Amino acid sequence: MLSGGPSPTGGVNRGPARADVAVVGAGPVGLAVAWRCAQRGLRVVVHDPAPGSGASHVAAGMLAPVAEAYFGERKLTGLLAESAARWPGFAAELAEAAGAEFGYRTDGTLVVGLTADDLAEAGRLWTYQQGLGLPITPLRPSELRDREPALAPRVRGGAVAPGDHQVDPRRLVTALRAAAERAGAVWRPGAVGDLSQVDARVTVVAAGCGAAALTGLPVRPVKGQVLRLRAPGPGAPDFRHVIRGYADGESVYLVPRDSGEVVVGATVEERADTEVTGGAVLRLLRAAVDLVPGLAEYELVETSAGLRPGTPDNAPILGALPGRPGVLAATGHHRHGIVLTPVTADLVTELIVTGEPDPLLAPFTPDRFAGAASPATVGRGRPASASEEETCN
Amino acid sequence: MLSGGPSPTGGVNRGPARADVAVVGAGPVGLAVAWRCAQRGLRVVVHDPAPGSGASHVAAGMLAPVAEAYFGERKLTGLLAESAARWPGFAAELAEAAGAEFGYRTDGTLVVGLTADDLAEAGRLWTYQQGLGLPITPLRPSELRDREPALAPRVRGGAVAPGDHQVDPRRLVTALRAAAERAGAVWRPGAVGDLSQVDARVTVVAAGCGAAALTGLPVRPVKGQVLRLRAPGPGAPDFRHVIRGYADGESVYLVPRDSGEVVVGATVEERADTEVTGGAVLRLLRAAVDLVPGLAEYELVETSAGLRPGTPDNAPILGALPGRPGVLAATGHHRHGIVLTPVTADLVTELIVTGEPDPLLAPFTPDRFAGAASPATVGRGRPASASEEETCN
């Protein structure tokens, strides 16, 4: 499908008007693809009326291939691990290219359970993760508190995933824009309502859940509500690890930033609105304060909601669209867009340059949803047809 | 002290430059004083850099002389009842004068207790209120739910105070500004740092907790945090009464507006900052949702904090300042500024016009705090000296 594609060396064969690569969507995935392609000498145009205003603006930025490895998602877990392994090099290269940091931190993640029931749930999952050979180690309560004295005394137990890191997605977008622009990519602020408006040899649809309307792919919005707290005074929060907690049946994460910010997330709701509701804020705050009581005295500085691009199997959609020559998908990253950014950018760029898909892409190609128009083929009790009236704001 | 005061008829004796009355502070109290004085033909100037930006901007606007009648505050309770009795006439006259409504509603207030302990606490208070002859009637749980089906089934009981009403303080400020201006009062946007900057025969200090710095009165900031929710869809909230609830030891009120808004308040904190904290939002939301579960699906549209002007005995400070000829105080309204607006405006205006204090003012004169510099004379375990470093933002 990439026959007639651009010369990987760029330059001599370029016409003045037509781009080699058009990226639709300037979130982390789209910008990273643009950066990588521009690094390869391709002429890149990025279309987005408001870069970084989608799911990444709300995201916490956990790079957690271990703590986010769930039952029944083996192939996705492999891709998460692959991308997490690329993060250190990606981060170093990006910081250099952008001339800016973006909150990349490697303090590790603590998984904790508030009650005995919560601990049983968390433990069932980390036993599974250990069985996959992933680096996660149970800790005694005293060991947990040695690492993070801010944890509530009633926390029953937990584990540490030292390789689960974090980044600040808003700063990541800023850095990726700078790097992409320095490498020669051009930003076009107009909205793309139809791919026929895009003139390029290859079009990469990285529009989050907006990809549904553009491509017909079964990408649906999955609402997530998130809070941002700020530590009192000028200092950083009084804990360093990302805390992935289970608290009275509520799953919550707490991501501390050097700036003093703590991101508390997130709901997972099958809705397409971005309203912040009293009930969600209550659930998030209750779980957060139960796990780290000192958060009660933090300032509540932001409440927000975003729409993740969900897919029927919770895995991203990466690769050539059947029957749409020159159109690639890089969407459907659901809860994993930030961690999957490096591998997505690498694999999509390689596909554009060489015309050959990396074997890593095989489980994630768009054609796996060829029958997706039928509700019977998708999970979660709802149709995944792209013709649904949900919109991705 | 009002010798040399203005002619009540205004006009012939006026100089071109000097006002009869300067009001410092354009909250509801200051604006109502300005309106009433201007109605009497006085030349009125109102000083405030940001009218309506103080405690009233955060206030819920309960007009609740009964449900807010507490042990040990008999004289304050009398003033609350007196002012509440003036509210219907005040509201009608203001709506006419301003040409605008301001959310005045007479649906009454339900006092409810979530648990048996909460009900016991609420019941102890309404028994006291009944003993004062105030109109409050206990209801069976079934009667409560007949009146408000939105109440949680586990609410153990309550009472109705049919004469406890509500108004929207933000709209009230808008209406009072319009009425005062139509009556001839003039607004000066400069901040008043010292009363010597004010040139008028009579100066009324209605600056909320800013009065401490201007007058030396023992007015301290008492922080209150408040949430604003909005009903889903275009309609009004699914309850009509103001709900004054006790929920697992937390005291909370829920004030429904025709616009769909529900105000949830309020913390009472001996602090002078206006940060919104995670713990306060959690406590307010938990109590609100426990009492009216449907609020979980309401949108959280605003979180805010204001500073009430508190006094050592929780009652306002109304009248002439000892040793400061021509200076009157109309401040210290603490949690009762909105309900006390009509009586404050009437009594202060009458004092300015006649030079004679109404007997109703006797318990509330500034000279009752002549010994306030001594911590032993004030309650709540803290000094009430105006020299404290707290500020009123």
Side-chain angles (χ1 to χ4, degrees), chain A residues 91-276:
Chain A
E93 187 181 349
L94 177 59
E96 169 88 21
E101 297 296 329
F102 36 88
Y104 178 61
R105 279 176 49 172
T106 58
D107 300 87
T109 294
L110 295 183
V111 177
V112 303
L114 183 68
T115 67
D117 283 357
D118 295 320
L119 187 59
E121 181 181 350
R124 197 170 82 93
L125 194 54
W126 78 55
T127 301
Y128 166 76
Q129 292 156 349
Q130 287 181 307
L132 297 179
L134 298 172
I136 185 165
T137 307
L139 299 176
R140 287 193 299 274
S142 62
E143 294 173 315
L144 272 180
R145 271 180 281 280
D146 283 347
R147 287 173 182 260
E148 290 298 1
L151 283 169
R154 60 182 287 227
V155 166
R156 289 293 292 264
V160 60
D164 279 12
H165 301 150
Q166 65 145 302
V167 68
D168 184 335
R170 294 177 183 176
R171 296 172 67 193
L172 175 65
V173 163
T174 302
L176 282 168
R177 280 188 71 173
E181 284 170 14
R182 286 184 178 191
V186 175
W187 172 48
R188 298 264 168 83
V192 174
D194 189 290
L195 294 186
S196 66
Q197 300 170 239
V198 178
D199 183 29
R201 294 190 179 189
V202 176
T203 298
V204 179
V205 179
C209 53
L214 292 170
T215 63
L217 286 168
V219 180
R220 72 183 192 283
V222 180
K223 178 178 174 181
Q225 299 189 50
V226 170
L227 313 178
R228 282 173 164 80
L229 304 172
R230 189 162 53 209
D238 53 357
F239 58 102
R240 293 282 307 167
H241 293 78
V242 172
I243 295 174
R244 189 83 178 80
Y246 298 81
D248 281 321
E250 196 73 38
S251 172
V252 73
Y253 52 74
L254 314 173
V255 182
R257 310 254 197 246
D258 291 333
S259 64
E261 180 180 87
V262 174
V263 184
V264 180
T267 63
V268 179
E269 305 169 68
E270 295 288 346
R271 315 175 46 124
D273 67 89
T274 53
E275 284 185 3
V276 173

Side-chain angles (χ1 to χ4, degrees), chain A:
Chain A
M1 68 101 214
L2 289 172
S3 60
S7 155
T9 57
V12 290
N13 293 328
R14 287 184 189 175
R18 197 177 198 209
D20 297 321
V21 178
V23 178
V24 181
V29 167
L31 289 169
V33 168
W35 175 43
R36 288 304 198 201
C37 285
Q39 283 181 312
R40 300 293 277 268
L42 300 175
R43 184 197 304 256
V44 180
V45 174
V46 181
H47 297 266
D48 198 319
S53 66
S56 69
H57 189 71
V58 177
M62 286 186 296
L63 309 174
V66 180
E68 296 286 325
Y70 294 111
F71 302 105
E73 297 180 354
R74 284 290 295 270
K75 288 175 180 168
L76 172 60
T77 297
L79 194 68
L80 294 174
E82 174 63 35
S83 197
R86 298 183 187 211
W87 251 102
F90 179 85
E93 187 181 349
L94 177 59
E96 169 88 21
E101 297 296 329
F102 36 88
Y104 178 61
R105 279 176 49 172
T106 58
D107 300 87
T109 294
L110 295 183
V111 177
V112 303
L114 183 68
T115 67
D117 283 357
D118 295 320
L119 187 59
E121 181 181 350
R124 197 170 82 93
L125 194 54
W126 78 55
T127 301
Y128 166 76
Q129 292 156 349
Q130 287 181 307
L132 297 179
L134 298 172
I136 185 165
T137 307
L139 299 176
R140 287 193 299 274
S142 62
E143 294 173 315
L144 272 180
R145 271 180 281 280
D146 283 347
R147 287 173 182 260
E148 290 298 1
L151 283 169
R154 60 182 287 227
V155 166
R156 289 293 292 264
V160 60
D164 279 12
H165 301 150
Q166 65 145 302
V167 68
D168 184 335
R170 294 177 183 176
R171 296 172 67 193
L172 175 65
V173 163
T174 302
L176 282 168
R177 280 188 71 173
E181 284 170 14
R182 286 184 178 191
V186 175
W187 172 48
R188 298 264 168 83
V192 174
D194 189 290
L195 294 186
S196 66
Q197 300 170 239
V198 178
D199 183 29
R201 294 190 179 189
V202 176
T203 298
V204 179
V205 179
C209 53
L214 292 170
T215 63
L217 286 168
V219 180
R220 72 183 192 283
V222 180
K223 178 178 174 181
Q225 299 189 50
V226 170
L227 313 178
R228 282 173 164 80
L229 304 172
R230 189 162 53 209
D238 53 357
F239 58 102
R240 293 282 307 167
H241 293 78
V242 172
I243 295 174
R244 189 83 178 80
Y246 298 81
D248 281 321
E250 196 73 38
S251 172
V252 73
Y253 52 74
L254 314 173
V255 182
R257 310 254 197 246
D258 291 333
S259 64
E261 180 180 87
V262 174
V263 184
V264 180
T267 63
V268 179
E269 305 169 68
E270 295 288 346
R271 315 175 46 124
D273 67 89
T274 53
E275 284 185 3
V276 173
T277 61
V281 174
L282 171 59
R283 286 164 49 204
L284 292 171
L285 279 176
R286 179 155 47 196
V289 169
D290 281 349
L291 292 167
V292 179
L295 292 176
E297 295 184 55
Y298 281 44
E299 185 178 4
L300 178 63
V301 291
E302 186 182 320
T303 61
S304 53
L307 299 175
R308 309 175 185 91
T311 65
D313 59 6
N314 291 342
I317 303 175
L318 308 174
L321 255 65
R324 302 283 291 268
V327 179
L328 302 184
T331 185
H333 291 75
H334 195 220
R335 307 173 60 243
H336 309 295
I338 307 300
V339 65
L340 290 177
T341 289
V343 79
T344 299
D346 291 348
L347 298 181
V348 169
T349 300
E350 208 57 36
L351 175 59
I352 292 170
V353 170
T354 67
E356 291 298 321
D358 188 287
L360 280 172
L361 287 174
F364 308 107
T365 54
D367 56 14
R368 75 188 190 276
F369 298 122
S374 159
T377 63
V378 297
R380 303 206 160 218
R382 46 178 288 124
S385 162
S387 65
E388 289 179 353
E389 292 188 354
E390 288 167 344
T391 57
C392 186
N393 300 314

Side-chain angles (χ1 to χ4, degrees), chain B residues 237-286:
Chain B
D238 53 358
F239 58 102
R240 293 283 306 167
H241 292 79
V242 172
I243 295 175
R244 189 83 179 77
Y246 298 82
D248 281 320
E250 197 73 39
S251 173
V252 72
Y253 52 74
L254 314 172
V255 182
R257 309 253 197 246
D258 290 334
S259 64
E261 179 180 85
V262 174
V263 184
V264 180
T267 64
V268 179
E269 304 169 67
E270 294 288 346
R271 316 176 45 125
D273 67 88
T274 53
E275 284 186 1
V276 173
T277 62
V281 174
L282 171 59
R283 287 164 48 203
L284 292 170
L285 279 177
R286 178 156 47 196

